Every structure is written in structure tokens, then in C-alpha cells.
Amino acid sequence: MNTELLEAEFSEIKERTQKCAAFVLNNEAMSKLPIIQQHALINQDIAMQQYANLIRLRLKMLENSSSEDEKLTVNFANALSLLYRGYRMARQAWIESNQFIFKTAMLQIGAVSIGCSLCISPSNGAVHTWTPMSDDLFADDWYIVD
């Protein structure tokens, strides 16, 4: 795709996202709407921000396409989406460089269902369930593990 078209799309969605966010954050205007519309607008704002982030990510990928060694990083929301699709993820801030997290599939053993979970695989090869800490949730240094 032409970078200029993608940049124009990003500029347009960024402007629309800012307008939507400004309305959502306007307590007076929002409070006059029925609660169902407030929830719909909040979800629209979130979806628009995610879409803008995806376009930004694609632009960053195009800019960095010449450097194979550089890791493209994302925030936890995008990392979670990638985990859901089966990718393994790691953080640049993690001291142990060979560890990564991944999502397990839902298991059905007879009448018992075991839900999906996140697991971490440290460099020693062991696998443990993993719960993110607050610094993991707000980090923007997540990257896909090859």
C-alpha cells in the first residue's frame, strides 16, 4: 500500500478519534445521553483508538522494513490481541531475554472445561501460568517472538 495513502488515513482517523474522545470526556454532554448511548460512544472511542493504533503500527512497520534486527513494539492491548491470534510475545524490559508469554487453548476433559490462560516460558524451558503486573499492562515495549 502507498505510504502516503496510509498517512492520510491515519491523519483522518486521528482527527476523528480526537473529536470522539473530546465528546466522551465532556461530562455535561455525555450525561444528557441515555446510558446505552454513553456505553456505545465509549466503545466507539475505544475502537477508533485501536484502529488509529493499528494504522500507526503499519506505518511504523513500513518505516522499519529495512531493519530486520529492530523489533517493532506495541502496547499490551495490541499484544493481547496478537496473543489471542496465537503469537508469542515478550517485553524488551524483561531481564531474561529468552522468555515469552503465550495463550493456551481451552481444554475439554470429559465434562470439565479448562479455560484459556496466559503462560510464560522462561529460558529454562519450564512453563507456568502468567498474570500480568501493572507495569506489564501499561508497557508499550511488547514485541512478537519469532
Side-chain angles (χ1 to χ4, degrees), residues 40-60:
L41 274 168
I42 290 167
N43 285 318
Q44 178 182 340
D45 180 45
I46 291 167
M48 290 174 72
Q49 288 178 27
Q50 289 175 336
Y51 182 59
N53 285 337
L54 287 173
I55 295 173
R56 182 189 54 77
L57 181 63
R58 289 178 58 205
L59 283 167
K60 192 173 178 184

Side-chain angles (χ1 to χ4, degrees), residues 96-144:
E96 195 173 331
S97 61
N98 293 331
Q99 71 182 5
F100 59 88
I101 62 169
F102 59 96
K103 181 183 88 60
T104 61
M106 183 177 214
L107 297 175
Q108 184 76 35
I109 302 172
V112 178
S113 291
I114 301 171
C116 299
S117 66
L118 292 176
C119 290
I120 190 163
S121 179
S123 60
N124 67 5
V127 174
H128 309 281
T129 57
W130 180 79
T131 303
M133 304 295 283
S134 60
D135 60 326
D136 296 318
L137 293 173
F138 295 105
D140 60 0
D141 65 347
W142 289 96
Y143 65 92
I144 296 173

Side-chain angles (χ1 to χ4, degrees), residues 36-86:
I36 190 100
Q37 288 184 14
Q38 291 179 32
H39 288 191
L41 274 168
I42 290 167
N43 285 318
Q44 178 182 340
D45 180 45
I46 291 167
M48 290 174 72
Q49 288 178 27
Q50 289 175 336
Y51 182 59
N53 285 337
L54 287 173
I55 295 173
R56 182 189 54 77
L57 181 63
R58 289 178 58 205
L59 283 167
K60 192 173 178 184
M61 289 169 64
L62 288 170
E63 291 170 6
N64 295 337
S65 63
S66 61
S67 173
E68 292 294 323
D69 293 336
E70 189 173 340
K71 291 180 173 70
L72 182 63
T73 59
V74 296
N75 63 24
F76 186 73
N78 290 331
L80 192 58
S81 179
L82 291 165
L83 286 162
Y84 183 77
R85 288 167 177 75

